[in-house]
Amino acid sequence: MADPVKQAPEGRRAAPAPEPASAPSPAREPASEPASEPASAPSPAREPASEPASEPAPAPSPAREPNIVGKPFRRVDGRAKVTGATRYADDLAFPRMAYLRLVRSTVPHARIAGIDLEAAERVPGVLGFLTGRDFPVPFGILPVSQDEHALCPDKVRFVGDPVVAVAATTEDAAWEAAFAVRVEYEPLATIAGIEEALATAEPRLHDYGEGGNVHKLVALEFGPVAEGFAAADEVFEDVFFYEGNTHLPMEQHAAVAVPEDDDRVTVYSSTQTPHYVHRALARVLAVPPSRIRVIACSNGGGFGGKSDPFSHEIVAAKMALLLGRPVKVTLSREEVFYCHRGRHPVLMRLRTGVRRDGTLTAQHLETALDGGAYGSYGVASTYYTGALQTVTYKLPAYRFEGVRVFTNKPPCGPKRGHGTPQPRFGFEVHLDKIATRLGINPADLRRRMLAEPDSITANWLRIGSMGLGACIDAVVAGSGFRERWGRLPRGRGLGLACGSYLCGAGLPIYWNHMPQSAVQLKLDRSGAVAVFCGEAEIGQGSDSVLAAVVAEVLGVDLGDVRLCVADTDLTPVDLGSYSSRVTLMVGNAALAAAERARELIAGAVAEQLSVPPGRLVFAGGRVFDAGDPAAGLSFAEAVVCAEARHGALGTVGSYVPPRSPGRYRGAGVGPSPAYSYTAAVVEVEADAETGVWQPVHVWIAHDVGRAINPVLVLGQVEGSVYMGLGEVMMEEQAFRRLPRHLSGALVHKHPSLLEYKSPTFSDMPPVTTYLIEDPDPGGPFGAKEVGQGPLLPVAPAVANALHDALGVRIDQVPIQPHMVRKALDAQAKGKEARYGPAGFPEVDFGERLIVPTAAQGGDGTAINDFRERLRSGMRSAAGTMTTREEALRSKRRAALTTGIEETP
């Protein structure tokens, strides 16, 4: 493993860390002062996994110091954003534009008995209406969960479900008409939570799933679990609960649909996934995909909340085609809460066998997810609550069982960390309890059991680079954890926790053998480089990463790179900004395209200069001989030279992740080209009298592989800290029942920015950030993700710090003062000083798939999955995707193009 690299961004000094003196310098200390630019780490070798083996590799350029990668630089969209020039979806206006409002359900579960539009039709300016009968085709992000309609045709399933659409010449008229619509409902029984859903077979929210109101059941076993528990010196069992919460982006969802003269429609939307919106529009509207164009506008935040196709996008497109004029819809903040797709409430039971030295022998994890009213990403979410438990610590035997249920609440989905913060909270608090019981320092316990780099986990995930050890060392030294943990005055405490996350999902949402990311380059005689890619900029800096990779390879200035992104007419497909996939996948596609362009240029310039192509250096806007730097051409001259030889210059690059070794049903969730790692120490101050607590300082280290732009990385890390603190301190998507005389409906407790509590500037403590650079061969220049992983250790580190401060265990999130007080009251009475769920419901998870581990001589398949389950197409009996080569040998044309619409 490479030594950790701590980088300070340009204009900041790495301040000295607390004792001991050997602590590494942080990448950022609060209120630090200007200093010199950080040193850059060498560029690692790449795995050419995504390109055909038959193509010759481009001649390598001589080694040089990176021009851009690894150094702080201004975001390519930074000036436009700070000056207000960036145009978001709601900023768009077109001649004759109409305005759309959605009439939403006021009851949580009911049949639609009738819709009265008479009063609404009399409102001046009204142009038209749409109802569920206009949208007979369902949709959904996962092929297996096509359970939503753009407007409800016969039944509503939560307060906020869209029922009627109204278009008018002004927004005020649309609002007035929407209020005038009358919908008659026949109420049905309401399901409010996990246990109620498990116990209620009828009425069913949907007619698919595992029976009753159970959406998905998962039961997997890897390795000798029973033997592992038998070999343990102690077996620990805990139950945890993580409340649901929402994304809270600054920008509300918005879309503008513009009909074209040739029966086409263009939809501008604040979406993270223009490709999937494009697919949903074609499906629901029954319009050929070639007649639909989707442009993802810059997002004012997403965090996963704009990853689904949504009703308002589809309805706006339909209304625009119907009226023959542009239609805009911008959701109110209350409606954003109804769209939701946020963090699932998850109940967890965790049982772990441990030897006296802290070695884990086996683990059994059970999770129960409250999915809300629709499927969304829920099948994947269920698997994610168990899939990544094995990539941080050595776990030789592992059993995972999960259940997701339907309830009459807004649908849950992917929020930053998708499905993994909940079990990570449970696991890290569980480990802290184990360390305390065994008398082992929590840092030592984790350090001893780290998963190995370049290894295969019990559930057949392939780990590449693994910098968690260096992350732990950095935060432990920087915070003085060894010297201060357990020794601070009562009311003050330190907590440690770790986490890991994907660098993009190994399989696409609809399985196929096409690239997950693609990039096209066009080189101009002026020396400008145009980059075309379907990636969506959602505020995370993906445009800057894309431009930086191309500029680095070609040796040009960022100002000479022009981007055209997220336009389904003009850009090649990228699957979207989710699962922290963009830096690695888009970066690799851009790297491939830029290397091909460099090869074309190098061949032409080498001929003109009479030097070998391998001696040419691309840097500083020039192409020159490494042995004689004066002999060379400007980049523009080099492009002219290459165009004269080859004709118009354009190249393409694409990326397909390496195949995962897992072959069992369910192995499609969890694999990734690489995993990032994070460790955090949080110091808290707590008042034993009131239970009020606050974070005092956060030390966090993230294994980023290699930072393309350290300033962007720091922003992502510290943004994750902010969001993690919000979830553990106060954020919750809570519901309440209205009194019976007010319908008894299950409604949001606080669907507004005023009522939904999230941290402010005054709630944020100082944050010391360490960037650990352990370049991964699978990433562009060694880079890994940073957008989601740093959130994971924050909540459990807080819970562990509260135990250090007051001796109480709070086994649920958010941790509120009354919970601390109740645990202290129990402590005073000599009872267990704990607040949290009492138990886990009895669930029949069905037959477990038994998958032998590699240590048992397994091959990644389940031994009890029968051959009669074989299906045509690309699905094997194990439920994983075959390779492209296998599909070619089998002549499965469909599998190579659209894919069989199955889910993990």
Side-chain angles (χ1 to χ4, degrees):
M1 182 182 298
D3 289 333
V5 178
K6 281 69 63 181
Q7 295 195 351
E10 189 177 51
R12 294 187 181 271
R13 183 193 314 164
E19 293 183 357
S22 59
S25 299
R28 174 188 258 172
E29 270 282 16
S32 55
E33 297 174 2
S36 59
E37 200 171 86
S40 297
S43 180
R46 285 181 62 246
E47 288 181 352
S50 59
E51 300 303 327
S54 59
E55 292 196 11
S61 289
R64 62 169 174 81
E65 280 294 306
N67 293 327
I68 297 169
V69 169
K71 299 178 181 181
F73 58 86
R74 188 177 68 195
R75 292 176 58 127
V76 297
D77 58 351
R79 188 185 298 276
K81 286 187 171 175
V82 299
T83 59
T86 298
R87 300 182 74 198
Y88 299 91
D90 189 44
D91 294 326
L92 302 179
F94 294 89
R96 299 180 65 245
M97 187 169 74
Y99 295 85
L100 182 80
R101 298 306 314 168
L102 297 176
V103 178
R104 296 180 180 272
S105 170
T106 57
V107 297
H109 197 198
R111 292 187 182 89
I112 299 172
I115 298 174
D116 182 0
L117 302 176
E118 185 177 349
E121 289 172 337
R122 294 197 296 267
V123 174
V126 167
L127 298 172
F129 299 88
L130 291 170
T131 66
R133 72 181 63 178
D134 298 300
F135 298 95
V137 179
F139 71 97
I141 185 65
L142 297 185
V144 77
S145 299
Q146 302 287 301
D147 59 0
E148 297 185 62
H149 286 81
L151 297 172
C152 298
D154 54 4
K155 185 192 289 188
V156 295
R157 295 174 173 87
F158 69 96
V159 171
D161 228 354
V163 179
V164 179
V166 182
T169 54
T170 67
E171 196 164 9
D172 286 346
W175 273 104
E176 184 179 349
F179 281 121
V181 172
R182 294 291 177 263
V183 182
E184 182 182 349
Y185 297 105
E186 296 175 355
L188 297 169
T190 302
I191 298 172
I194 293 169
E195 296 195 21
E196 192 173 343
L198 291 170
T200 306
E202 295 290 343
R204 297 184 68 184
L205 269 69
H206 296 282
D207 58 4
Y208 78 101
E210 306 279 3
N213 286 294
V214 175
H215 178 205
K216 182 63 180 176
L217 288 167
V218 177
L220 300 166
E221 184 164 318
F222 308 93
V225 175
E227 293 89 334
F229 280 118
D233 294 318
E234 290 198 53
V235 176
F236 294 82
E237 184 171 320
D238 285 298
V239 182
F240 301 95
F241 179 67
Y242 202 114
E243 181 60 272
N245 50 68
T246 199
H247 312 84
L248 216 67
M250 292 181 67
E251 179 206 26
Q252 294 134 246
H253 300 58
V256 182
V258 182
E260 311 290 351
D261 293 337
D262 52 357
D263 296 325
R264 290 169 52 90
V265 64
T266 298
V267 176
Y268 301 84
S269 181
S270 55
T271 179
Q272 297 177 227
T273 54
H275 175 64
Y276 292 124
V277 171
H278 184 260
R279 285 174 60 87
L281 286 168
R283 173 186 171 92
V284 176
L285 301 180
V287 173
S290 61
R291 316 301 291 173
I292 298 171
R293 180 184 186 186
V294 175
I295 299 174
C297 303
S298 290
N299 280 211
F303 313 114
K306 298 171 182 175
S307 298
D308 285 71
F310 284 101
S311 295
H312 65 274
E313 296 163 322
I314 298 170
V315 173
K318 177 81 170 181
M319 187 69 82
L321 291 170
L322 180 69
L323 299 178
R325 60 196 294 174
V327 173
K328 176 191 278 191
V329 55
T330 301
L331 302 190
S332 67
R333 179 61 64 178
E334 183 174 346
E335 289 179 294
V336 175
F337 278 88
Y338 297 148
C339 284
H340 192 39
R341 318 301 161 122
R343 186 88 68 219
H344 283 75
V346 179
L347 184 64
M348 299 159 276
R349 180 161 60 193
L350 194 58
R351 186 168 177 258
T352 305
V354 187
R355 293 197 176 98
R356 290 188 183 89
D357 64 358
T359 302
L360 304 183
T361 62
Q363 186 174 96
H364 181 192
L365 171 64
E366 296 167 280
T367 64
L369 294 76
D370 182 340
Y374 293 102
S376 184
Y377 285 82
V379 171
S381 306
T382 307
Y383 280 104
Y384 272 130
T385 59
L388 300 190
Q389 293 291 88
T390 60
V391 298
T392 45
Y393 310 115
K394 293 176 184 175
L395 195 55
Y398 177 51
R399 179 186 299 155
F400 167 58
E401 295 172 312
V403 58
R404 184 182 192 262
V405 298
F406 289 121
T407 59
N408 294 116
K409 302 174 186 175
C412 299
K415 185 188 175 186
R416 202 173 196 167
H418 189 190
T420 63
Q422 302 97 317
R424 181 55 52 184
F425 171 80
F427 197 4
E428 294 295 320
V429 175
H430 188 62
L431 285 178
D432 203 68
K433 296 182 180 184
I434 291 171
T436 301
R437 177 81 64 83
L438 298 179
I440 302 174
N441 184 287
D444 292 335
L445 180 75
R446 290 170 171 82
R447 204 66 173 82
R448 293 174 190 174
M449 64 172 72
L450 293 181
E452 297 287 344
D454 303 313
S455 64
I456 303 295
T457 68
N459 59 337
W460 292 90
L461 301 180
R462 181 184 289 111
I463 298 174
S465 64
M466 207 282 193
L468 183 55
C471 292
I472 294 173
D473 293 344
V475 297
V476 165
S479 64
F481 185 83
R482 293 189 187 281
E483 297 77 23
R484 303 170 64 220
W485 177 74
R487 297 180 176 89
L488 296 175
R490 181 169 172 79
R492 198 92 169 194
L494 292 169
L496 169 68
C498 300
S500 57
Y501 198 63
L502 309 161
C503 296
L507 290 177
I509 287 173
Y510 64 100
W511 288 356
N512 61 81
H513 290 277
M514 294 177 286
Q516 289 202 34
S517 293
V519 169
Q520 293 177 328
L521 300 186
K522 180 183 77 68
L523 283 72
D524 189 79
R525 299 172 189 180
S526 66
V529 180
V531 183
F532 299 84
C533 180
E535 61 89 9
E537 171 63 66
I538 61 172
Q540 84 281 40
S542 59
D543 283 359
S544 298
V545 169
L546 175 61
V549 169
V550 172
E552 183 65 60
V553 174
L554 297 180
V556 299
D557 188 81
L558 277 172
D560 294 324
V561 177
R562 298 289 185 267
L563 300 180
C564 176
V565 298
D567 184 328
T568 60
D569 261 16
L570 302 181
T571 61
V573 168
D574 176 69
L575 298 185
S577 292
Y578 63 93
S579 292
S580 281
R581 56 179 303 281
V582 176
T583 291
L584 190 141
M585 296 191 179
V586 170
N588 273 326
L591 195 60
E595 287 174 343
R596 286 172 174 160
R598 186 179 64 188
E599 182 184 10
L600 291 173
I601 295 170
V605 173
E607 184 176 313
Q608 179 161 327
L609 298 181
S610 301
V611 299
R615 263 182 35 198
L616 292 177
V617 176
F618 287 65
R622 297 180 66 238
V623 182
F624 56 89
D625 183 0
D628 181 12
L633 305 175
S634 70
F635 184 76
E637 293 169 337
V639 170
V640 169
C641 181
E643 187 174 341
R645 180 179 179 185
H646 301 291
L649 290 181
T651 62
V652 297
S654 58
Y655 180 75
V656 178
R659 187 184 182 190
S660 166
R663 302 288 182 270
Y664 56 90
R665 281 185 295 114
V669 176
S672 178
Y675 298 93
S676 70
Y677 294 91
T678 315
V681 169
V682 177
E683 183 171 351
V684 302
E685 186 174 58
D687 184 351
E689 186 173 342
T690 63
V692 173
W693 65 272
Q694 61 183 5
V696 174
H697 200 114
V698 177
W699 295 263
I700 188 164
H702 183 68
D703 166 23
V704 70
R706 188 179 187 194
I708 300 292
N709 181 348
V711 171
L712 285 181
V713 173
L714 289 168
Q716 289 293 300
V717 172
E718 294 175 13
S720 290
V721 171
Y722 165 83
M723 187 168 281
L725 287 175
E727 294 190 8
V728 73
M729 293 171 71
M730 60 189 74
E731 293 191 37
E732 57 179 345
Q733 180 94 332
F735 296 82
R736 61 189 173 90
R737 284 194 185 276
L738 294 177
R740 187 175 296 277
H741 70 281
L742 294 177
S743 80
L746 184 69
V747 298
H748 279 79
K749 190 176 179 181
H750 34 50
S752 74
L753 282 177
L754 177 64
E755 302 293 338
Y756 182 93
K757 303 304 180 186
S758 63
T760 65
F761 288 117
S762 63
D763 296 306
M764 273 296 288
V767 178
T768 302
T769 302
Y770 304 90
L771 303 186
I772 305 302
E773 295 203 314
D774 180 16
D776 192 281
F781 301 101
K784 299 199 288 190
E785 79 87 32
V786 69
Q788 303 188 60
L791 178 147
L792 272 66
V794 176
V798 166
N800 294 338
L802 280 170
H803 178 261
D804 189 41
L806 296 174
V808 298
R809 291 290 183 186
I810 312 300
D811 289 344
Q812 71 179 60
V813 168
I815 299 175
Q816 298 173 338
H818 75 275
M819 302 175 184
V820 178
R821 274 300 324 154
K822 287 187 177 181
L824 287 168
D825 290 344
Q827 184 184 64
K829 296 174 182 177
K831 300 179 180 179
E832 182 184 13
R834 175 187 179 270
Y835 185 96
F840 191 90
E842 290 301 317
V843 179
D844 181 4
F845 291 102
E847 179 189 6
R848 289 190 292 272
L849 279 184
I850 307 300
V851 184
T853 64
Q856 293 177 299
D859 60 1
T861 62
I863 60 176
N864 58 335
D865 205 6
F866 302 106
R867 282 293 167 185
E868 55 264 29
R869 295 178 185 174
L870 276 170
R871 298 183 183 181
S872 60
M874 61 184 177
R875 290 270 291 190
S876 72
T880 58
M881 193 169 70
T882 63
T883 65
R884 181 180 178 84
E885 291 71 24
E886 289 169 341
L888 283 168
R889 285 196 297 271
S890 302
K891 298 181 180 179
R892 293 175 181 167
R893 185 181 181 88
L896 295 173
T897 53
T898 59
I900 304 300
E901 295 211 334
E902 295 283 356
T903 186

